[in-house]
């Protein structure tokens, strides 16, 4: 959608982003134009393994209106999307430009896990706000014994600002798993920025840290 | 000494604001406010379409507020106008006029881009936003980088000329003039106060305005696309112009602060001879800051 509609610049190499953070205050580049509420659900397969996540995006009223008008979609009299409207929104939202990583990231045990492209997408309009839902699969389902997983929704460039307002649902979860949301704390931001800066002076490649990630909420899954 | 002290204090204040995270706090506050006003705009545009009484007033009010808080975020020529205010001899009135003119010109660019695009050819909304973000934004940063470079250049010339003039005092018996100042910026022999000013005449003003106006605000493009599709063409123009006035109001505050900071620095510099150096040094400071900031913005916008 807006991803495609809004024409955006993507993260680039982590080092470049890191150095940029180092030479300019975070807000210099952090310039949210689009506000997205939402969150993520955790999806488990028949064997009780973590198989994927469901991402939920609920656009602010302004971005929703822009998207509808730009895609030339007229809601029905009840203010809902017609089937044709749903198809248009889904097509726009799930066509990801090269380099776009879906603004949704998963870590398991501290290691970033690649997620597949958007599947089973749906869209709806509730009053003024457009919602988009889609699933992303892990290449290989992961057993949940002692599992610690983390999902963050963010745009590396902070053009989109994401807020976790949705309580994560565990679908087909085996016993012993629980999820919780840790909201971004403004106070911790400077500390993280500092960590980023210090990481740069080390000889190692800094892990993926960029402006958007600094402001991201954390959605945790923990299994016994 | 007092001059160096005064300029150092100014630079330190800037650095302290930067390091303290005050800008982050301001940015976050602005983002929250912006979200509110964005939602208000969306509701108001729909109210205008259905002919709800008072919808126009709500729409324009929301646009003005959006323009103001959005300008608290980066861009919109704050650094440039602030730097020019710091580095030039232009008074408060002139700087405020520049701030308003640049914001309104920016609104004009958005109108030209969106309405022009829809009128003249089958433009898609994504094309408008893509052009603004991927083409016009880097172009604007490049223009501003050039302006920063010119400021630095002029400052160096003025300083060099001042040095040579001091030299002249000892050699005024020489029959010929020493015109061979390396930077060749003309009239280096006797810089006048007017020459030292960064904003010289309409050409400089036009360059400043154009540098800022090249890049339209995304929020303005959104409103125009929505208004066009809803056949509310006039409402779109009125909204964006009002938004520009809101942005201009905030940038004006920056301009006024910059003029005040310049006055304080020159005053603090004390002796006239030192005060004469204050302006070129401020110019150097402002120019290199503008150049650094815009260079990092170019880097960012091209790091696709």
């Amino acid at each position: 959608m807006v991803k495609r509609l809004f024409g955006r610049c993507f993260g680039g190499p982590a080092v470049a982003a890191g150095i940029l953070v180092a030479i300019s205050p975070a807000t210099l580049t952090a310039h949210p134009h689009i506000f997205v509420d939402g969150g993520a659900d955790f999806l488990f397969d028949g064997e009780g393994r973590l198989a994927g996540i469901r991402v939920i995006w609920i656009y602010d009223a302004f971005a929703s209106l822009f998207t509808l008008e730009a895609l030339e979609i007229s809601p029905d009299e009840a203010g809902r999307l017609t089937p044709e409207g749903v198809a248009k929104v889904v097509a726009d939202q799930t066509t990801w430009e090269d380099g776009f990583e879906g603004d949704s990231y998963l870590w398991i045990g501290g290691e970033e896990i690649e997620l597949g492209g958007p599947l089973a997408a749906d869209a709806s309009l509730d009053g003024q706000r457009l919602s988009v839902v889609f699933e992303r699969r892990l290449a290989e389902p992961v057993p949940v014994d002692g599992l610690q997983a983390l999902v963050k929704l963010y745009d590396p460039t902070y053009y989109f600002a994401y807020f976790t307002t949705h309580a994560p649902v565990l679908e087909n979860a085996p016993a012993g798993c629980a999820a919780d949301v840790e909201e971004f704390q403004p106070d911790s931001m400077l500390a993280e920025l500092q960590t980023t800066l210090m990481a740069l002076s080390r000889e190692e490649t800094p892990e993926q840290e960029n402006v958007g990630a600094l402001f991201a909420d954390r959605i945790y899954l923990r299994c016994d | 000494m007092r001059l160096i002290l005064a300029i150092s204090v100014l630079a330190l204040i800037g650095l302290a604001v930067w390091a303290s995270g005050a800008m982050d706090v301001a940015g976050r506050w602005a983002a929250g406010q912006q979200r509110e006003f964005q939602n208000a705009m969306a509701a108001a545009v729909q109210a205008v379409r259905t002919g709800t009484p008072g919808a126009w007033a709500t729409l324009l009010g929301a646009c003005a507020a959006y323009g103001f808080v959005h300008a608290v975020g980066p861009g919109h020529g704050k650094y440039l106008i602030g730097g020019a205010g710091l580095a030039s001899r232009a008074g408060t009135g002139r700087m405020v006029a520049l701030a308003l003119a640049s914001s309104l010109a920016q609104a004009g660019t958005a109108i030209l881009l969106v309405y022009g695009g829809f009128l003249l050819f089958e433009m898609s909304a994504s094309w408008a936003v893509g052009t603004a973000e991927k083409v016009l934004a880097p172009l604007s940063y490049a223009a501003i980088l050039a302006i920063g470079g010119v400021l630095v250049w002029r400052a160096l010339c003025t300083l060099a000329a001042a040095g040579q003039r001091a030299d002249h005092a000892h050699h005024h018996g020489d029959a010929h003039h020493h015109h061979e100042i390396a930077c060749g910026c003309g009239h280096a022999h006797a810089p006048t106060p007017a020459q030292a000013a960064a904003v010289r005449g309409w050409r400089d003003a036009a360059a400043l305005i154009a540098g800022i106006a090249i890049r339209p605000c995304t929020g303005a493009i959104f409103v125009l696309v929505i208004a066009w599709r809803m056949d509310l063409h006039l409402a779109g123009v009125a909204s964006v112009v009002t938004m520009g006035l809101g942005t201009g109001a905030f940038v004006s505050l920056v301009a006024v602060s910059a003029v005040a900071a310049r006055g304080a620095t020159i005053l603090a510099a004390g002796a006239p001879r030192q005060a004469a150096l204050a302006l070129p040094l401020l110019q150097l400071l402002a120019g290199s800051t503008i150049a650094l900031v815009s260079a990092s913005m170019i880097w960012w916008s091209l790091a696709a």
Side-chain angles (χ1 to χ4, degrees), chain B residues 264-292:
Chain B
T265 307
I266 290 174
L267 205 66
R273 207 169 59 84
Q274 292 199 331
L277 286 178
L279 203 56
L281 285 177
L282 279 178
Q283 216 170 344
L284 194 64
L285 185 73
S288 36
T289 306
I290 289 169
L292 188 72

Side-chain angles (χ1 to χ4, degrees), chain B:
Chain B
M1 259 335 276
R2 284 182 69 187
L3 172 61
I4 292 170
L5 201 69
I7 290 191
S8 305
V9 166
L10 197 68
L12 275 177
I13 290 172
L15 200 67
V17 169
W18 180 86
S20 70
M23 287 182 56
D24 289 322
V25 174
R28 244 193 325 276
W29 171 83
Q33 298 296 308
Q34 182 192 329
R35 180 178 187 162
E36 296 302 312
F37 295 130
Q38 257 176 235
N39 289 338
M41 280 195 294
V45 172
Q46 281 167 325
V48 167
R49 175 160 64 170
T50 55
T52 312
W56 269 86
T58 314
L59 176 63
L60 297 185
C63 285
Y66 173 88
F68 187 86
V69 298
H70 192 63
V72 178
H76 304 282
K78 278 191 310 298
Y79 293 100
L80 187 56
I81 294 284
L86 207 56
S88 76
R89 279 178 184 268
T92 311
R94 179 120 190 246
M95 289 311 300
V96 168
L98 261 180
L100 285 174
S102 60
S103 297
L104 287 174
Q106 204 174 28
T109 312
I111 295 169
L112 216 62
L113 178 73
V114 176
Y115 281 15
F118 279 134
L119 266 180
L120 297 178
F121 54 100
E122 288 280 298
M123 178 194 74
S124 71
S126 59
W127 183 87
V129 179
T131 305
E133 292 294 318
K134 287 181 179 155
V135 181
L136 299 180
L139 211 63
S140 170
Y141 301 144
I144 290 171
L145 174 65
I147 292 172
V150 168
L151 278 181
V152 171
W153 183 253
R154 283 183 189 170
L156 292 176
C157 286
T158 313
L159 288 173
Q164 202 197 40
R165 198 164 40 159
D167 200 37
H168 259 213
H170 303 288
H171 301 282
H172 54 78
D174 288 1
H176 64 278
H177 293 291
H178 293 269
H179 272 295
E180 60 275 12
I181 283 182
C183 54
C185 43
H187 305 288
H189 183 57
T192 63
Q195 213 179 325
V199 183
R200 291 190 292 208
W202 65 271
R203 269 198 214 126
D204 283 10
L208 281 178
I209 293 170
I212 295 166
I214 293 172
R215 182 208 187 166
C217 166
T218 318
I221 294 177
F222 283 16
V223 170
L224 288 167
V225 167
I226 294 169
W228 181 273
R229 296 279 187 212
M230 289 185 170
D231 273 330
L232 300 171
H233 302 174
L234 186 61
V237 172
S239 296
V240 170
V241 168
T242 312
M243 210 182 269
L245 288 173
T247 303
F250 183 79
V251 180
S252 295
L253 286 181
V254 175
V256 170
S257 316
V259 171
R262 182 221 309 161
T265 307
I266 290 174
L267 205 66
R273 207 169 59 84
Q274 292 199 331
L277 286 178
L279 203 56
L281 285 177
L282 279 178
Q283 216 170 344
L284 194 64
L285 185 73
S288 36
T289 306
I290 289 169
L292 188 72
V293 167
S294 50
S296 68
M297 296 297 271
I298 292 175
W299 184 0
W300 182 261
S301 65
L302 293 182

